[in-house]
Amino acid sequence: MKRSIGAALRIPYGHLPKLWGINHSTYNSLWTTASRKMSGTKRPGDGLGPKAGEKRWKRKKTAQEAESSLRSTGSHEEILLEDVRFLLKTSLEPGFDYSQSQASTPQQFSQVQLSISMLSSTGDGLAVSQDGTRVYVVPFTVPGDVVVAKVVKNFPSHSMTDLVEVKEPSKDRDDDLVFCKYFGRCSGCQFQMLSGDYQLQHKHKVIAKAMQNFSNLDQTLVPPVGEVMPSPLLQGYRTKLTPHFDGPRRGGFKEGAPVPDIGFQLKGRSFVLDIEDCPIGTDAVRDGFRSQRDYVKQNLHTFKRGATLLLRESTERTFSSVVSDGGEKTAQCHTDIKTCVSDSKALVTEWVGAAKFSSPAGSFFQNNNSILEKFTTFVQEQLVIPNLPGQDPSESYLIDAYCGSGLFSICCGHGFKGILGVDISSQSIESARQNATENGIYNARFITGNAEAIFADVDFPPEYTSVVIDPPRKGCDELFLSQLLQLGPKRLVYISCNVHTMARDIGWLVRQDLGKNYTIDKIGGFDFFPQTHHVEGYAVLSKNG
């Protein structure tokens, strides 16, 4: 039973009692009940999550690390459980021990009327049972909604449900804002019925809760969370989509076989929802989506199994000069032609302001171009170290860890005497070198890092050095963070697509002996993915002395 519960939640067994706020003896008594109640379909992850599948700086864990089960993973389930615990504690009488109560377990597939009281960090509405001992997780709902929901799966403290009907809409719900016919079934978007301002306010709270629940810091060390920078586009912004379809386990598709559903995960199920168009994609990506659907239909027999389709926007920019009446060239303008690339090895081109980036279509690059220029400008401002008395202002250096194809090195490297980009992917390093040359950046070098000695080739003076890191969703491991503290840069800017692992990592840094001299200057976020629960976070730290 230990294995089945741990597998169902995708977190170590030893971590579960801590997450549920109960002791091990109480948890043991739930085994038999849980084995009977935990049935239903597997709940999938978010198929549209940013940076899905990134495996940079992956290595085998040491025996000591493998034994540790208390380090937060920042998983969807772990984040949800924090909100469930909070709501249960606030709904019960002071001093009531909900972990010892006999929470009534609803019958699977039964329907229940609920009043939504909270929006979780995972994007689902939360409601408390009448006796205050169970939380219902209801997708596509807003605090203030009165709804009918169908119970899909039961856990000891909460039940996962499907939304059946909104009987009384919240004052904050506006269904006229919904622009996609698949909303409410597709797992990609959660918030299309909410205004842009409401979404920003919610994501601000998500960052604050992450720092409170996952940093393990005295909150006096954490500054107030800054405003979340809005995206210029609320739809039509995604420059990359990866729809998929399932196939036979063996033998491939036969001639005349029915065409499978092609699209994204059905919310709450391990099935694909057939989707013909995704309006959060750019026009080029949406055109490519339709084209790739047709290709699969016409060539289905060539597929050995199911597949994931790559849809990546590429921009060809042509320049021309504006000539005045006197025949003089007064300005230069450009025209962009957008196309969709589906070959993961083909080169695509992305422009961020005046900076040009080329990289393989299958490699990682931020997927909302509309916000990138403001985003990189902000990051550049945070990387600047205030000059010390008598210091040459040109005496400053930048390290771009997890540099990828060189986004921060190129867009944020102006004014630095030297730049070093480090990544474990040799393909990314090659792209970064070519992009630096293309953009006239000659003070930067890029190296393929070794996970065990990432900063071995760094010779910058740490008191004049800034570091920007942008890890994948799982965040940084303690080996990387330890090396970062040994390096001891003056300024650190942490960018993250998972604010919960960011909070964990920042908290770990500040709690170490070498990290006690660091102050957290700023915490905030960017709305890279409107209509979804995802928020890009940032943290700025400075070393004292």
Side-chain angles (χ1 to χ4, degrees):
M1 190 56 206
K2 294 180 183 180
R3 282 183 172 273
S4 63
I5 292 178
L9 292 177
R10 296 198 293 261
I11 57 178
Y13 159 75
H15 205 174
L16 295 178
K18 175 178 178 290
L19 289 176
W20 286 337
I22 60 179
N23 56 42
H24 280 273
S25 61
T26 301
Y27 181 72
N28 291 342
S29 66
L30 295 172
W31 290 357
T32 304
T33 302
S35 64
R36 292 195 301 263
K37 299 297 184 181
M38 289 176 64
S39 58
T41 57
K42 178 183 177 183
R43 300 197 69 82
D46 186 350
L48 289 179
K51 297 189 179 180
E54 285 292 295
K55 296 182 179 178
R56 294 180 287 179
W57 274 323
K58 182 177 181 180
R59 62 183 181 83
K60 291 183 178 180
K61 293 183 178 180
T62 65
Q64 181 179 1
E65 289 171 326
E67 290 175 1
S68 173
S69 62
L70 295 180
R71 191 169 191 255
S72 166
T73 62
S75 68
H76 184 99
E77 292 82 7
E78 187 179 1
I79 297 164
L80 176 61
L81 282 170
E82 285 287 352
D83 285 338
V84 168
R85 290 177 58 201
F86 171 80
L87 195 54
L88 285 174
K89 288 181 178 179
T90 56
S91 66
L92 295 171
E93 294 293 331
F96 184 87
D97 186 0
Y98 74 85
S99 64
Q100 301 294 335
S101 67
Q102 298 297 316
S104 57
T105 304
Q107 185 176 354
Q108 190 180 21
F109 305 129
S110 63
Q111 294 190 5
V112 58
Q113 182 167 308
L114 302 165
S115 179
I116 306 300
S117 57
M118 178 181 170
L119 191 57
S120 73
S121 295
T122 59
D124 297 319
L126 303 181
V128 186
S129 61
Q130 289 186 350
D131 61 4
T133 60
R134 173 168 294 274
V135 169
Y136 291 87
V137 183
V138 191
F140 310 113
T141 57
V142 185
D145 280 343
V146 176
V147 304
V148 175
K150 181 173 68 175
V151 176
V152 175
K153 182 186 290 187
N154 289 314
F155 293 95
S157 60
H158 62 285
S159 298
M160 310 301 294
T161 74
D162 288 338
L163 175 63
V164 175
E165 177 188 4
V166 177
K167 294 186 71 68
E168 297 178 23
S170 164
K171 62 179 179 60
D172 296 310
R173 170 184 286 275
D174 185 355
D175 288 328
D176 290 338
L177 295 174
V178 175
F179 53 85
C180 177
K181 65 180 181 179
Y182 303 104
F183 181 71
R185 292 179 291 156
C186 175
S187 63
C189 293
Q190 297 81 42
F191 296 155
Q192 288 189 21
M193 69 295 197
L194 296 173
S195 69
D197 287 342
Y198 191 104
Q199 293 184 40
L200 293 177
Q201 293 168 14
H202 170 69
K203 293 178 181 184
H204 181 275
K205 295 177 183 176
V206 169
I207 300 171
K209 285 195 297 181
M211 291 304 298
Q212 181 177 346
N213 295 336
F214 289 83
S215 69
N216 291 317
L217 287 176
D218 184 327
Q219 292 302 293
T220 61
L221 299 176
V222 180
V225 175
E227 293 184 359
V228 176
M229 181 183 291
S231 170
L233 298 177
L234 297 183
Q235 56 180 292
Y237 62 82
R238 279 200 69 118
T239 54
K240 179 183 177 182
L241 290 173
T242 52
H244 55 278
F245 61 92
D246 295 330
R249 294 187 176 183
R250 58 177 62 89
F253 289 94
K254 307 299 183 183
E255 288 279 1
V259 178
D261 292 335
I262 306 170
F264 302 110
Q265 212 80 34
L266 179 66
K267 178 66 174 177
R269 302 291 187 276
S270 56
F271 304 121
V272 176
L273 175 65
D274 194 54
I275 292 177
E276 297 178 341
D277 183 27
C278 179
I280 65 170
T282 64
D283 288 343
V285 166
R286 295 172 72 181
D287 288 342
F289 196 172
R290 289 185 282 269
S291 175
Q292 283 297 296
R293 282 178 58 88
D294 290 340
Y295 177 84
V296 171
K297 292 176 182 178
Q298 296 168 14
N299 299 274
L300 184 62
H301 63 282
T302 66
F303 287 88
K304 298 296 184 183
R305 58 185 66 86
T308 296
L309 308 176
L310 172 65
L311 310 170
R312 176 82 179 270
E313 182 179 272
S314 185
T315 303
E316 179 182 351
R317 178 168 291 183
T318 57
F319 294 90
S320 59
S321 297
V322 176
V323 180
S324 66
D325 293 339
E328 296 182 356
K329 294 181 180 179
T330 58
Q332 192 175 51
C333 60
H334 66 264
T335 302
D336 289 343
I337 299 176
K338 309 280 189 178
T339 56
C340 182
V341 174
S342 58
D343 180 357
S344 64
K345 296 181 180 179
L347 286 181
V348 295
T349 302
E350 189 102 19
W351 290 82
V352 181
K356 179 182 178 182
F357 295 88
S358 296
S359 59
S363 64
F364 171 75
F365 200 86
Q366 294 286 4
N367 296 330
N368 181 350
N369 184 275
S370 72
I371 197 174
L372 280 184
E373 190 169 4
K374 289 183 178 180
F375 167 66
T376 53
T377 298
F378 176 86
V379 173
Q380 180 184 12
E381 293 170 350
Q382 308 314 307
L383 289 169
V384 174
I385 301 172
N387 290 332
L388 300 174
Q391 177 191 346
D392 181 352
S394 65
E395 187 76 8
S396 59
Y397 303 86
L398 173 64
I399 298 174
D400 181 3
Y402 301 92
C403 70
S405 57
L407 175 65
F408 295 118
S409 297
I410 293 168
C411 291
C412 306
H414 306 289
F416 288 96
K417 185 176 182 178
I419 304 169
L420 177 66
V422 189
D423 201 290
I424 200 170
S425 167
S426 57
Q427 182 185 62
S428 295
I429 290 299
E430 183 59 32
S431 295
R433 288 171 179 162
Q434 294 175 1
N435 289 331
T437 300
E438 178 76 22
N439 288 281
I441 305 294
Y442 302 112
N443 62 335
R445 62 190 179 101
F446 298 90
I447 61 173
T448 303
N450 183 312
E452 310 297 332
I454 297 165
F455 303 114
D457 295 328
V458 174
D459 55 4
F460 298 157
E463 65 271 21
Y464 301 144
T465 299
S466 299
V467 175
V468 58
I469 59 176
D470 184 11
R473 291 191 62 79
K474 67 179 180 180
C476 307
D477 62 23
E478 292 181 6
L479 176 63
F480 173 87
L481 296 175
S482 296
Q483 293 178 67
L484 185 63
L485 286 177
Q486 289 288 341
L487 179 68
K490 181 67 176 180
R491 194 82 156 174
L492 171 63
V493 179
Y494 190 125
I495 305 297
S496 176
C497 59
N498 185 339
V499 295
H500 303 88
T501 52
M502 179 186 79
R504 177 202 67 195
D505 292 347
I506 295 301
W508 189 91
L509 281 169
V510 174
R511 293 195 310 274
Q512 306 309 303
D513 288 340
L514 290 177
K516 294 187 185 303
N517 288 330
Y518 279 92
T519 299
I520 306 175
D521 298 330
K522 295 180 181 179
I523 299 282
F526 306 89
D527 191 15
F528 266 75
F529 301 98
Q531 318 305 340
T532 80
H533 70 272
H534 297 290
V535 57
E536 193 89 358
Y538 69 82
V540 182
L541 289 81
S542 294
K543 188 175 184 181
N544 306 315

